[in-house]
Amino acid sequence: MTVLVLDNPELMARAAQAHANSMQTETMSESPRKPHRMKFHFGFDKHRLNEEDKTILKEHAGYLKAHPEVAIRIHGHTDSFGTDEYNAFLSRLRANTAAKLLQAEGIEGNRIEVVGWGSAKPLTNKDDNAANRRLELEYLSEQMAKVQ
């Protein structure tokens, strides 16, 4: 067996840096990216997610698994039809549907916050009912969560 001994510190440093860069690139490419879609819409008086929405939420779960320092807040919203009490209930039901899916994918419940706004925070104007029947995801880093 032949052993090569390098007596050139500069060459050794460059080799170490190249190895570190290749390891970092591999780690970054293996880590799932945060999905761009953060809003999910519902039909009138509905709280169930369609299959496409479920797939995207599972991608969010993959991102959360890869980043245990990140928590998520799920905001549920409704249109302006119905009483304030019912809309508050429906908005929480929508947000809880997403939270349950994330938990089924292995995300701990203490990393998920659910908020139901009812019809109090319309996306556009109160008359754009289809746009206002939604849930929104908000990512929280550990530092952000401590400040809030």
Side-chain angles (χ1 to χ4, degrees):
M1 177 193 316
T2 305
V3 177
L4 178 62
V5 178
L6 293 177
D7 193 22
N8 184 336
E10 185 178 319
L11 185 59
M12 289 173 59
R14 278 191 281 165
Q17 184 63 41
H19 178 70
N21 288 343
S22 71
M23 293 300 288
Q24 184 178 11
T25 303
E26 287 175 19
T27 304
M28 289 173 67
S29 65
E30 292 172 9
S31 177
R33 292 178 178 244
K34 180 169 63 171
H36 292 289
R37 186 164 159 216
M38 305 292 278
K39 289 184 179 75
F40 301 85
H41 293 274
F42 295 88
F44 177 73
D45 204 27
K46 303 291 184 210
H47 70 277
R48 299 206 190 281
L49 296 161
N50 64 36
E51 291 306 315
E52 180 185 348
D53 293 342
K54 289 178 184 178
T55 300
I56 301 236
L57 277 170
K58 288 177 183 180
E59 291 174 13
H60 282 282
Y63 177 81
L64 289 165
K65 283 182 194 175
H67 299 88
E69 74 282 2
V70 176
I72 193 164
R73 184 177 296 141
I74 305 171
H75 300 267
H77 301 273
T78 65
D79 57 29
S80 57
F81 293 114
T83 65
D84 289 343
E85 294 81 20
Y86 180 73
N87 285 339
F89 167 76
L90 182 58
S91 64
R92 286 192 61 81
L93 193 59
R94 288 174 175 168
N96 279 322
T97 298
K100 286 179 185 176
L101 188 143
L102 292 174
Q103 287 178 322
E105 292 294 312
I107 306 305
E108 303 85 12
N110 64 350
R111 294 176 57 201
I112 302 170
E113 181 182 347
V114 173
V115 181
W117 294 104
S119 60
K121 294 192 174 201
L123 182 62
T124 58
N125 62 50
K126 280 197 170 280
D127 297 328
D128 193 354
N129 295 307
N132 293 326
R133 294 188 292 259
R134 71 194 188 283
L135 67 82
E136 297 179 8
L137 305 180
E138 176 187 7
Y139 279 89
L140 307 169
S141 70
E142 195 171 295
Q143 292 92 2
M144 287 174 60
K146 287 179 183 175
V147 170
Q148 296 176 1

